[in-house]
Amino acid sequence: MAHIIVVGNEKGGAGKSTVSMHVATALSRLGKTVAVLDLDLRQRSLLRYMENRQDFIKRSGIELPTPTYHELPEIDPSTLAEGENVFDKRLTAAVEGVAPDCDFILIDCPGSHTRLSQMAHSLADTLITPLNDSFVDFDLLARIDPKAEKILGPSVYSEMVWNARQWRAQAGLQAIDWIVARNRVGSQRMLNKDKMAKAVSMLAKRIGFRVAPGFSERVIFRELFPRGLTLLDLKDIGIKQLNISNIAARQEMRDLMKALNLPNVMI
Amino acid sequence: MAHIIVVGNEKGGAGKSTVSMHVATALSRLGKTVAVLDLDLRQRSLLRYMENRQDFIKRSGIELPTPTYHELPEIDPSTLAEGENVFDKRLTAAVEGVAPDCDFILIDCPGSHTRLSQMAHSLADTLITPLNDSFVDFDLLARIDPKAEKILGPSVYSEMVWNARQWRAQAGLQAIDWIVARNRVGSQRMLNKDKMAKAVSMLAKRIGFRVAPGFSERVIFRELFPRGLTLLDLKDIGIKQLNISNIAARQEMRDLMKALNLPNVMI
Ligand SMILES: Nc1ncnc2c1ncn2[C@@H]1O[C@H](COP(=O)(O)OP(=O)(O)OP(=O)(O)O)[C@@H](O)[C@H]1O
Ligand SMILES: Nc1ncnc2c1ncn2[C@@H]1O[C@H](COP(=O)(O)OP(=O)(O)OP(=O)(O)O)[C@@H](O)[C@H]1O
Ligand SMILES: [Mg+2]
Ligand SMILES: [Mg+2]
């Protein structure tokens, strides 16, 4: 049965699609069979990334390990049972359709609150939540006092995760392994960075997630999007010499993959 | 009649709420009467910013110029005319309620496609679209070829703006002054940064928006959120000496306000 990785955060621009593309590509490069689903049906950044990758492979002739993208099947609403939600049916049909043939299913969620995203969170074996290194983003996880020293209570997104956990417990499913990864972290030592690190680790203990090493703010994480590439592909396209920032980025990628602790994945 | 400034971009995390708070506060500090509306009814980052600001003013006793936040009025659906949309009614009621008493109404949009956001775009005198310095964000404005040299066609967000413009033209309203401001721009000289600058200016000519100088990636733009402050308030709270980055940030703020070309605003 495929292991389901969901990448979610209701806050816009946290880095969900970026993390999704990098984790899915890393798993493909390790020889795993990976299916990806993009639940952001209008923006479709992950689909666009995959399209650019296919286009690059076709134009360059270079065979790159690649996840396979799957659309959610259309469902005729008249076939739904009483009280059944069409989005739930589309998602479960997509997952059941690919699960037998792959090692991992990676699901990218939109930066807003949708029924599809709620449903995906309750299907997650592993949930990765990227987080900008900012209290604007932290505010969607929990309320904190103005000096950022005391957690005052959970916010809308952590409540949604809590509900997904309850649903899984009632269904007798294994608990979600919830991992929060800071993203676009600044390079210099800064007070804000230290405060964020403290606040995230305080919250981890309180609501039960693991904190993974994340990504720094590096142009290599975004500049390859037009060609559908990631920094892991650079050797295959003939770039032998990596600069310092790209070497550090590869290390950050490796550290994240290790922290995810995925079944049968040796880093 | 109040001048309506809408801050919008369907792409999550572009910097809409950050730009909204800074522009609204700058106008208040210039002695203008500013009403703010937050159309992200679930995330409410701008409301949270305003709450933190009120809380800081109360606790510190320091009088800071402050925009006034307004909720969208609840509308009883049974009072709607045939075919009238409840969200349209809530937004127009909110705008009409505050317009007589203020110089500016600033409306922050969510990072997704909603009816409220569509409606707000058609009410805009000035539309500010912040954009991360990344082709992932650019993809929501337009499709571009893999070498980022040719614009292939508009994307979902620019099509939505196009529709709002059509609507205004048919209603005999003045054209929207559409301004795109790059945000979180890296400090070093980078190929990606140059390519983005070229692509944005190419698109500006093609679909008719102005490009404003934007904000660099600076921690000062985000670290004051827990206290509801902006870098413009630092003098009032007793910080006389600004560091180099904060001086540069003030200049970026001043350049943006100048570029907006707002009525009766001298920078
Ligand atoms: N570590 C990083 N370094 C530099 N840029 C990054 C990094 N991570 C993400 N970005 C950029 O930040 C922006 C937001 O990232 P992304 O689109 O992946 O977030 P998202 O959470 O999927 O957004 P949405 O809420 O719109 O779905 C993009 O422009 C992306 O290129
Ligand atoms: N110039 C900047 N420098 C540093 N950080 C920034 C800058 N602009 C925005 N940020 C940070 O980037 C993140 C996204 O900004 P913000 O929340 O304002 O975007 P948004 O477009 O309103 O997002 P959403 O789509 O969720 O509404 C936040 O964590 C914010 O603190
Ligand atoms: Mg995304
Ligand atoms: Mg916002």
Side-chain angles (χ1 to χ4, degrees), chain A residues 164-231:
Chain A
R165 282 176 151 164
Q166 298 286 77
W167 185 87
R168 279 179 77 89
Q170 278 155 14
L173 294 171
Q174 220 185 323
I176 300 174
D177 183 12
W178 187 11
I179 295 150
V180 171
R182 289 163 69 192
N183 187 26
R184 304 187 76 173
V185 180
S187 48
Q188 298 109 0
R189 252 194 80 66
M190 292 180 301
L191 186 60
N192 183 70
K193 196 164 130 183
D194 297 341
K195 277 189 171 173
M196 271 296 290
K198 262 203 222 103
V200 169
S201 77
M202 245 192 321
L203 190 62
K205 291 193 198 69
R206 186 165 165 150
I207 61 177
F209 56 74
R210 297 198 289 124
V211 183
F215 295 159
S216 303
E217 169 78 27
R218 297 184 193 280
V219 78
I220 193 69
F221 285 118
R222 58 173 179 234
E223 71 180 332
L224 300 173
F225 168 80
R227 288 181 290 165
L229 301 175
T230 70
L231 58 103

Side-chain angles (χ1 to χ4, degrees), chain A residues 10 12-13 42-43 48 59 113 132-136 139-140 143 146 156 184 192 219 222-223 225-226, chain B residues 10 12-13 42-43 48 59 113 132-136 139-140 143 146 156 184 192 219 222-223 225-226:
Chain A
E10 262 188 63
R42 181 167 160 96
Q43 199 182 101
R48 295 282 304 122
R59 275 182 304 105
H113 180 67
N132 264 307
D133 214 37
S134 164
F135 283 102
V136 175
D139 200 51
L140 274 274
R143 291 294 150 85
V156 287
R184 304 187 76 173
N192 183 70
V219 78
R222 58 173 179 234
E223 71 180 332
F225 168 80
Chain B
E10 258 187 67
R42 180 167 162 98
Q43 202 183 98
R48 295 281 306 123
R59 275 183 302 106
H113 180 68
N132 264 306
D133 215 35
S134 162
F135 283 102
V136 174
D139 200 52
L140 273 276
R143 290 296 150 83
V156 286
R184 304 189 74 174
N192 184 70
V219 77
R222 58 172 179 236
E223 69 178 338
F225 168 80

Side-chain angles (χ1 to χ4, degrees), chain A residues 11-12 136, chain B residues 13 15-18 38 40 43-46 108-111:
Chain A
K11 179 72 187 75
V136 175
Chain B
K16 295 178 290 292
S17 301
T18 300
D38 185 346
D40 196 331
Q43 202 183 98
R44 307 168 81 86
S45 295
L46 189 56
D108 183 20
C109 294

Side-chain angles (χ1 to χ4, degrees), chain B residues 119 168 172:
Chain B
M119 192 63 190
R168 281 178 76 87

Side-chain angles (χ1 to χ4, degrees), chain A residues 27 30 33 86 90 116 119 131 133 138-139 165 168 174 179 189 230 237-238:
Chain A
L27 289 171
L30 292 170
T33 325
V86 68
R90 291 184 74 192
L116 270 175
M119 191 63 191
L131 184 75
D133 214 37
F138 188 87
D139 200 51
R165 282 176 151 164
R168 279 179 77 89
Q174 220 185 323
I179 295 150
R189 252 194 80 66
T230 70
I237 66 167

Side-chain angles (χ1 to χ4, degrees), chain B residues 155-168:
Chain B
S155 291
V156 286
Y157 180 66
S158 26
E159 275 167 0
M160 195 256 263
V161 176
W162 177 255
N163 292 335
R165 285 174 149 167
Q166 297 287 78
W167 186 90
R168 281 178 76 87

Side-chain angles (χ1 to χ4, degrees), chain A residues 16-17 40 43 45 108-109, chain B residues 11:
Chain A
K16 296 176 290 291
S17 301
D40 196 332
Q43 199 182 101
S45 295
D108 183 20
C109 294
Chain B
K11 178 71 187 74

